[in-house]
Amino acid sequence: PFARVACNDPALIKRLLDCGAMGVVVPMVNSAEQARQAVAAMKFPPLGIRSSGGGRCTVYGSDYFNWANDEVAVIVQIEHIEAVKHAREILSVPGVDAGYIGPNDLAVSMGLPPDGFVTHPDQAAAVAEVLKAAKEVGVPIGIHTFSVEHANMRVQQGFQFVACGSEANFMRQAAADALKKLTRE
């Protein structure tokens, strides 16, 4: 199980890990230093600052502390133009397992309206720059998409994981489709 934390805060990250998350997605990582902070929060000493006390993470077995540093995934979100400028450095931080682009936040940080389909040329160039950086440093990169066609296009471009829409939008669309099928008498 993976979880997205609200912000790059060791206390919040620890809470998710103690509940059994095997990976944490950390939003708004805009520098290598912020990436190092995220990694440190998810690693036990000597690799990090994660506390070894308490929590429910031991559901994975008494040997959890022996293998967690190697198995718990650190995924940093590159969703701000500052992060794009530092993508190579961020993705090169030891312990960062993957990057993930949030296209709406990226657009807003560029002074553009939210655009999950990345239609503005400047936003498209920023996404391409992050993809290139990830390929150069050998770190998997993902992106949020808003349709199956868009997801397939991103996979063809070299993105290694994509999210397609959201559960809220899927539920909204299913409800709208059901309402259209109802007959009124």
Side-chain angles (χ1 to χ4, degrees), residues 139-156:
V139 172
I141 191 73
I143 191 167
H144 197 89
T145 65
F146 295 86
S147 72
V148 172
E149 297 78 17
H150 191 217
N152 284 331
M153 176 193 76
R154 292 300 188 192
V155 170
Q156 290 298 317

Side-chain angles (χ1 to χ4, degrees), residues 6-32:
C7 63
N8 193 357
D9 179 326
L12 296 176
I13 291 170
K14 177 188 179 332
R15 183 173 279 195
L16 290 174
L17 294 172
D18 284 352
C19 286
M22 287 300 298
V24 176
V25 180
V26 182
M28 289 293 173
V29 175
N30 296 332
S31 68

Side-chain angles (χ1 to χ4, degrees), residues 27 81 112-113 126 131:
I81 193 61
L112 303 169
L131 176 61

Side-chain angles (χ1 to χ4, degrees), residues 7-156:
C7 63
N8 193 357
D9 179 326
L12 296 176
I13 291 170
K14 177 188 179 332
R15 183 173 279 195
L16 290 174
L17 294 172
D18 284 352
C19 286
M22 287 300 298
V24 176
V25 180
V26 182
M28 289 293 173
V29 175
N30 296 332
S31 68
E33 179 56 34
Q34 290 174 352
R36 282 189 284 278
Q37 290 169 355
V39 170
M42 290 187 233
K43 304 291 183 186
F44 291 116
L47 301 178
I49 60 168
R50 182 176 174 193
S51 169
S52 60
R56 290 174 273 182
C57 62
T58 55
V59 298
Y60 294 118
S62 60
D63 62 343
Y64 176 81
F65 300 102
N66 296 328
W67 54 261
N69 279 351
D70 293 330
E71 297 296 325
V72 171
V74 178
I75 302 170
V76 295
Q77 285 194 264
I78 296 177
E79 54 186 346
H80 193 281
I81 193 61
E82 284 303 311
V84 172
K85 293 174 186 175
H86 303 287
R88 278 173 195 76
E89 295 86 17
I90 291 168
L91 296 171
S92 295
V93 168
V96 168
D97 296 302
Y100 189 79
I101 299 172
N104 281 330
D105 284 327
L106 176 59
V108 171
S109 78
M110 298 173 74
L112 303 169
D115 180 9
F117 287 99
V118 190
T119 57
H120 193 281
D122 293 342
Q123 185 188 16
V127 168
E129 187 175 333
V130 174
L131 176 61
K132 180 181 177 193
K135 287 180 177 181
E136 287 174 0
V137 301
V139 172
I141 191 73
I143 191 167
H144 197 89
T145 65
F146 295 86
S147 72
V148 172
E149 297 78 17
H150 191 217
N152 284 331
M153 176 193 76
R154 292 300 188 192
V155 170
Q156 290 298 317

